[in-house]
Amino acid sequence: MMCKCQLLLRVSLGSEIIKGKKAKKKSLQYMASVQNNTGHICGGFLVSEDFVMTAAHCDDWNPKSVVLGTHNLKKVDKTMRYGIKKKYKHPSYKNIVSGNDIMLLKLSGKAYLDKKKPIKPIQLPTQQINLKENKSCSVAGWGAIKTNGPNVDNLQVVDVPIINLNKCKKKWQNYIPANVICAGGYYKNKGFCQGDSGGPLVCDKKLAVGVVSFNNKKNCDYPNLPNIYTDISKFLPWIKGILNKKNGI
């Protein structure tokens, strides 16, 4: 059997988009670029006017701000940038192998939502969901478009099929955390890769069901092993508790 130390060598953080395409203008209005003082480090997505959801492991790179309202990271002005007032990592998160790879970022101000600005929160599940095998969903990010390639400035998006959880566990030799969704990376040559963790798995074009967590090693030459996402619907009480706090304090 494979020990957890070996698993740590197998998993890779991120979500560069493989076999995807450039996102259409003014689409994916919920997408966020989570940044530190050197630039983009992770993806994320707006879930209310002052909260962005991302992966807990993105905290390893010391995020400082969030950019909303652009698909092109070379076209960012000060009105698109929001400071991070507080970070809420899931209390059970220890590392990517243990799961619970989910985090909420309280913004320093409310996102300016109007028809002139391409910013709009995405809907979250209201109850636990069970996605059907082969259901087509999508994932987006600003990472590279091939293994070991450079990141891209323009947001990329790709459709990925949901993979049966039991089949996914078997392929991963049972070494995946609880409360995850498997989609892409296996069976078809589409999925995510390194460089842009924390982006959303979106189904029915309007529902964020997962958060990009990890794939197999740094190999994005799919088909490979299934890509792993945190299952948002398994964390709803915790999410609601954070979002409903007065002033997010």
Side-chain angles (χ1 to χ4, degrees):
M1 292 179 68
M2 181 174 56
C3 71
K4 285 192 175 182
C5 59
Q6 290 173 308
L7 178 61
L8 281 168
L9 295 175
R10 291 185 67 179
V11 304
S12 293
L13 320 176
S15 118
E16 303 154 344
I17 301 305
I18 305 301
K19 300 293 182 182
K21 59 185 178 182
K22 187 176 174 181
K24 293 180 180 178
K25 284 186 177 181
K26 295 189 178 181
S27 67
L28 312 186
Q29 295 175 322
Y30 48 81
M31 282 299 297
S33 170
V34 180
Q35 303 195 357
N36 62 15
N37 292 334
T38 63
H40 175 84
I41 54 171
C42 274
F45 46 107
L46 191 69
V47 295
S48 75
E49 59 185 1
D50 54 353
F51 274 98
V52 163
M53 185 173 288
T54 188
H57 74 255
C58 293
D59 193 41
D60 294 347
W61 297 296
N62 196 23
K64 297 291 187 182
S65 65
V66 169
V67 171
L68 296 166
T70 183
H71 283 185
N72 188 339
L73 295 185
K74 282 191 172 181
K75 296 181 179 179
V76 176
D77 62 48
K78 61 182 181 180
T79 67
M80 298 175 179
R81 189 176 300 278
Y82 298 80
I84 296 172
K85 185 176 181 180
K86 191 165 183 178
K87 296 178 284 188
Y88 294 89
K89 279 193 290 190
H90 192 275
S92 297
Y93 175 78
K94 296 178 181 177
N95 54 54
I96 200 167
V97 175
S98 65
N100 307 300
D101 190 13
I102 187 170
M103 178 167 65
L104 283 164
L105 303 175
K106 168 73 173 180
L107 304 182
S108 58
K110 294 181 179 180
Y112 188 57
L113 309 178
D114 71 8
K115 293 181 180 179
K116 294 180 181 179
K117 274 188 169 286
I119 302 174
K120 188 179 181 181
I122 190 169
Q123 183 180 344
L124 298 179
T126 56
Q127 60 187 12
Q128 288 198 24
I129 57 176
N130 292 301
L131 299 167
K132 290 185 178 180
E133 185 175 13
N134 294 323
K135 179 179 178 64
S136 182
C137 298
S138 67
V139 61
W142 282 277
I145 55 176
K146 64 179 181 180
T147 302
N148 297 323
N151 288 356
V152 295
D153 295 315
N154 288 297
L155 183 65
Q156 302 285 308
V157 61
V158 68
D159 292 333
V160 290
I162 298 297
I163 298 163
N164 176 275
L165 191 57
N166 288 328
K167 186 183 293 183
C168 182
K169 289 178 179 177
K170 188 175 181 180
K171 292 295 178 183
W172 274 96
Q173 300 178 31
N174 288 321
Y175 279 98
I176 58 174
N179 302 323
V180 298
I181 296 170
C182 303
Y186 167 76
Y187 179 61
K188 293 187 177 181
N189 64 349
K190 296 179 179 180
F192 64 68
C193 191
Q194 280 51 62
D196 207 6
S197 300
L201 177 66
V202 178
C203 295
D204 301 319
K205 296 185 178 181
K206 62 179 181 179
L207 188 68
V209 300
V211 182
V212 171
S213 188
F214 65 85
N215 72 350
N216 178 37
K217 301 180 181 176
K218 292 184 178 180
N219 185 357
C220 312
D221 298 325
Y222 301 133
N224 195 302
L225 289 180
N227 291 169
I228 307 299
Y229 299 78
T230 303
D231 185 345
I232 294 172
S233 77
K234 298 295 197 295
F235 298 90
L236 293 178
W238 174 77
I239 293 168
K240 289 176 183 177
I242 302 297
L243 297 184
N244 291 336
K245 284 186 178 183
K246 277 191 176 181
N247 299 319
I249 296 173

